[in-house]
Amino acid sequence: MRYIIFFSVFLLFSCGNSSDQTSKNSSESQNLNETKRIIYFGDSLTAGYGLLDYEDAWPHVLTKRINAEGYSYKMTNAGVSGDTTSGGLGRLEWVLAEKPSIFVLELGANDMLRGISPTVTKENLRSMIRQIKSQYPNTKILLVGMYATPNMGKKYASAFNSLYPELAKEEAVPLVPFILEKVASIRKLNQKDGIHPTDVGHKLVADTVYPYLKPLLVK
């Protein structure tokens, strides 16, 4: 006990209150410790660009699904439309303040569309992964991959497409090979721009990510 107790009656009374308070504090601490958060960190694909309801974006769809299965996770959709890996690296520190249990890293598509060197993209992603590991060693990281569009040319596409599996292996993190696996080039699943999925497309993106995210979950 923190205080020196002089009277036996007061001692008994005080011990009872202290025990109750300790139990209460322990319970509150346990509840705080049990709060788990997933941060989805990405670009317009994560943000849900063009959707009428942002909760139709795949991070929201996916989190609702896993919680319906008995898990308990809060989520942060940290998707920013137009973001590059350089931009992501610049805002990472601010986002990490939420102390994620799981960090889903989906960036690189805008690097590719701008013709940024795959070497730069890879090193930016590596820096983010290492920063997360350094600040929160227990945080589980899921890297989400992208493929280059055909108009980028074979040489560029080869370098870009290989950076994600190489990085996942080098940094020992799981990888979703291609986030748009079930929706790319399917007109009815994409908006008029042919790039961003519709609400139905986002459900399929959630289906793509789900089997890679599930092994990282804890109850």
Side-chain angles (χ1 to χ4, degrees):
M1 297 179 61
R2 296 182 179 180
Y3 303 95
I4 300 175
I5 308 302
F6 295 96
F7 300 100
S8 59
V9 175
F10 185 66
L11 176 61
L12 291 172
F13 181 77
S14 179
C15 284
N17 286 347
S18 177
S19 177
D20 291 344
Q21 186 63 42
T22 300
S23 177
K24 180 180 178 182
N25 290 343
S26 177
S27 177
E28 290 176 350
S29 177
Q30 185 177 7
N31 288 337
L32 287 173
N33 290 337
E34 289 176 355
T35 300
K36 300 182 290 291
R37 180 172 295 276
I38 303 174
I39 290 181
Y40 298 91
F41 192 76
D43 48 39
S44 57
L45 295 174
T46 292
Y49 175 87
L51 299 178
L52 294 177
D53 187 345
Y54 73 94
E55 290 200 359
D56 286 333
W58 67 268
H60 299 269
V61 175
L62 185 51
T63 304
K64 288 176 183 177
R65 176 175 179 177
I66 62 177
N67 284 337
E69 294 179 355
Y71 297 94
S72 181
Y73 281 89
K74 294 183 178 181
M75 65 156 287
T76 297
N77 187 334
V80 173
S81 295
D83 205 11
T84 61
T85 56
S86 294
L89 186 57
R91 66 186 175 96
L92 179 62
E93 182 71 29
W94 179 76
V95 173
L96 285 179
E98 296 201 30
K99 300 179 181 179
S101 303
I102 299 174
F103 195 99
V104 181
L105 177 55
E106 179 276 308
L107 279 173
N110 289 311
D111 291 45
M112 177 267 296
L113 293 174
R114 297 181 185 189
I116 294 173
S117 168
T119 301
V120 173
T121 299
K122 183 178 181 180
E123 290 311 306
N124 285 338
L125 290 170
R126 188 194 308 279
S127 295
M128 284 184 266
I129 290 170
R130 291 187 175 180
Q131 184 175 338
I132 297 165
K133 287 180 175 181
S134 176
Q135 289 188 229
Y136 300 107
N138 293 327
T139 294
K140 299 172 183 176
I141 302 170
L142 177 61
L143 181 62
V144 180
M146 173 59 67
Y147 287 165
T149 54
N151 65 306
M152 297 306 298
K154 290 184 178 180
K155 184 177 180 180
Y156 184 94
S158 176
F160 184 86
N161 294 348
S162 64
L163 79 85
Y164 290 96
E166 288 174 358
L167 182 61
K169 183 177 180 180
E170 292 163 5
E171 296 299 324
V173 296
L175 170 70
V176 180
F178 181 36
I179 188 174
L180 300 178
E181 177 185 348
K182 296 182 179 181
V183 301
S185 302
I186 302 176
R187 182 174 298 179
K188 66 179 181 179
L189 297 177
N190 288 279
Q191 299 174 42
K192 291 181 179 180
D193 60 14
I195 297 174
H196 298 94
T198 62
D199 55 349
V200 176
H202 272 272
K203 291 178 182 178
L204 293 174
V205 172
D207 288 344
T208 296
V209 178
Y210 173 77
Y212 299 94
L213 180 63
K214 188 170 183 179
L216 308 183
L217 304 174
V218 294
K219 289 187 177 179

